Amino acid sequence: MVSEEQVDQESINEQPVEIEEGLVGEIVEEDDATVETEEDDFQAQLEAANTRADDNWEKLLLAKADVENIRRRTQKDIEKAHRFSVEKFAKDMLPVVDSLEMGLSAAADSSSEADALKEGMELTLKQLLDSLKKSGVEQLNPISEVFNSDFHQAISIVPSAEHEPNTVMQVFQKGYTLNSRLLRPAMVIVSQSAPPSDAKKIDEQA
């Protein structure tokens, strides 16, 4: 027969096992809950990241479309500027054309006087020069000025006692600049020092 003391001892030995099993169950449940919480947090973070990525992608597409629209508008503006850059200049030239046509008509009329024709041509030339000046074109007429190789081209050098050396004696063809940049140099005749009179006599004697 089993004594009461043996039964009590067996009960005591079984209690720790039951307690340990309960603790393990609680720990497993806590671990499962922690894992589920971490998964929920990760899922929420992933969804938030995907949302931000979608927003950034839409912003990128919008920015790209804006840049493309700006590029197209700029290209159109450049093409328009190239096509109509001389519009103002052309308008300024129209009165000059009208004056030239009227001058030619007057020249064809045998009853026209030469003085009136000359006056009309001078007026037309003034209109033309004024129109060129509005567009930044300046005329170079360097008569009696010091020769400047940046704006003048010497076609001849002539000794002269009446002019200082290296002075423009005559303008064969006038030059022009555009906003201070040379368009065409003035074709000029430049003076140089006249030889001494005694040297001339020596040459004649020789």
Side-chain angles (χ1 to χ4, degrees), residues 72-90:
R72 289 178 180 176
R73 286 197 299 269
T74 303
Q75 185 66 27
K76 289 182 179 179
D77 291 340
I78 293 174
E79 291 177 358
K80 184 182 294 185
H82 287 166
R83 291 178 60 189
F84 300 103
S85 59
V86 296
E87 181 178 5
K88 183 177 182 300
F89 178 75

Side-chain angles (χ1 to χ4, degrees), residues 130-167:
D130 290 342
S131 298
L132 290 172
K133 192 173 183 179
K134 289 179 182 178
S135 297
V137 179
E138 295 280 353
Q139 188 183 73
L140 298 177
N141 185 19
I143 187 69
S144 300
E145 295 181 5
V146 177
F147 176 77
N148 185 349
S149 59
D150 292 335
F151 297 98
H152 311 152
Q153 181 175 346
I155 59 175
S156 179
I157 299 176
V158 178
S160 175
E162 299 177 357
H163 298 83
E164 293 291 332
N166 207 35
T167 301

Side-chain angles (χ1 to χ4, degrees), residues 29-134:
E29 290 178 357
E30 289 178 358
D31 289 342
D32 291 341
T34 302
V35 171
E36 291 179 357
T37 302
E38 291 178 352
E39 289 180 352
D40 293 340
D41 292 342
F42 179 76
Q43 187 67 27
Q45 292 176 4
L46 181 60
E47 292 178 356
N50 288 333
T51 301
R52 289 195 298 271
D54 292 339
D55 292 340
N56 290 334
W57 180 250
E58 290 180 0
K59 291 178 181 178
L60 176 62
L61 292 178
L62 290 175
K64 185 177 180 181
D66 290 340
V67 171
E68 183 64 20
N69 290 334
I70 293 173
R71 187 191 67 79
R72 289 178 180 176
R73 286 197 299 269
T74 303
Q75 185 66 27
K76 289 182 179 179
D77 291 340
I78 293 174
E79 291 177 358
K80 184 182 294 185
H82 287 166
R83 291 178 60 189
F84 300 103
S85 59
V86 296
E87 181 178 5
K88 183 177 182 300
F89 178 75
K91 288 182 178 179
D92 291 337
M93 291 295 102
L94 295 182
V96 179
V97 174
D98 294 338
S99 296
L100 288 173
E101 289 178 345
M102 287 188 291
L104 291 173
S105 298
D109 187 0
S110 59
S111 62
S112 298
E113 296 181 359
D115 292 340
L117 180 60
K118 180 182 177 182
E119 183 179 352
M121 297 302 291
E122 289 176 348
L123 179 61
T124 300
L125 177 61
K126 183 178 182 303
Q127 287 179 332
L128 178 58
L129 293 176
D130 290 342
S131 298
L132 290 172
K133 192 173 183 179
K134 289 179 182 178

